[in-house]
Amino acid sequence: MERAVVLLTRSAAETRALAAAVAGLLEPGDVVALAGDLGSGKTTFVQGSAGTLGVTEPVVSPTFTLVREYQGTVPVTHVDVYRLDRLQDVLDLGFEDYLDGRSVVFVEWGDVIEGLLPESWMEVRLSAEGEADDAGDQTRTVTVTARGPAWASRWERLEAATAAWGTG
């Protein structure tokens, strides 16, 4: 199964709200691969999701630490593979250990390691459009693609949860 929905957000707050709506459907063991250029909103999306999953501490980019783990009603593992050069580097990081089903795993630049992702996973591709306004807000296209059998039974709920951000 592979299905996608294209959505629009107009600010970081809207991106967090969209992420919170998506996170309402996430379960331990789910993997969310985030893709997009630098500054497109990948960490912002994780912040919005983590709040819904019960994380109360600030969520920051793991660019330099590579992995951050957060406790919530559902544990969250936030991985950033941007600085890793080879798939072997990701394996050496112990990536497979994070896929043990105990947490929701968010992988920034996850499209780069698609071959290491499980059978079922979600891709969130963010694309910033134009220049930011005076308040720093910027329109983003967010394409959410659900892949694999685990999403077949949740797809309609995902469409309903994200309908407010639909492009028409």
Side-chain angles (χ1 to χ4, degrees):
M1 185 219 111
E2 180 173 320
R3 292 188 179 160
V5 61
V6 178
L7 310 163
L8 282 178
T9 63
R10 290 174 175 76
S11 66
E14 275 192 31
T15 301
R16 284 186 195 94
L18 169 60
V22 170
L25 299 168
L26 297 176
E27 304 169 353
D30 283 340
V31 175
V32 179
L34 299 130
D37 293 334
L38 285 170
S40 63
K42 294 179 293 296
T43 299
T44 301
F45 192 93
V46 177
Q47 291 167 342
S49 296
T52 296
L53 298 171
V55 173
T56 57
E57 65 187 285
V59 172
V60 296
S61 175
T63 298
F64 296 102
T65 59
L66 304 180
V67 178
R68 292 187 185 268
E69 295 180 87
Y70 301 95
Q71 294 307 310
T73 50
V74 175
V76 170
T77 302
H78 187 188
V79 181
D80 188 327
V81 299
Y82 180 72
R83 297 200 178 283
L84 301 178
D85 294 326
R86 303 171 298 130
L87 285 179
Q88 187 60 48
D89 294 337
V90 178
L91 294 171
D92 291 346
L93 180 67
F95 179 73
E96 292 174 321
D97 294 338
Y98 296 114
L99 304 179
D100 61 8
R102 293 187 300 211
S103 67
V104 173
V105 179
F106 293 91
V107 184
E108 293 197 31
W109 306 97
D111 55 327
V112 175
I113 63 163
E114 187 173 329
L116 298 178
L117 299 177
E119 178 183 21
S120 292
W121 56 286
M122 173 186 287
E123 179 183 62
V124 176
R125 183 168 293 277
L126 298 110
S127 175
E129 300 174 12
E131 296 295 319
D133 65 16
D134 291 340
D137 290 332
Q138 190 171 23
T139 298
R140 286 176 173 75
T141 300
V142 183
T143 304
V144 178
T145 305
R147 294 182 167 93
W151 284 99
S153 63
R154 293 186 270 173
W155 180 253
E156 287 182 9
R157 290 184 293 148
L158 179 65
E159 283 184 312
T162 60
W165 296 274
T167 59

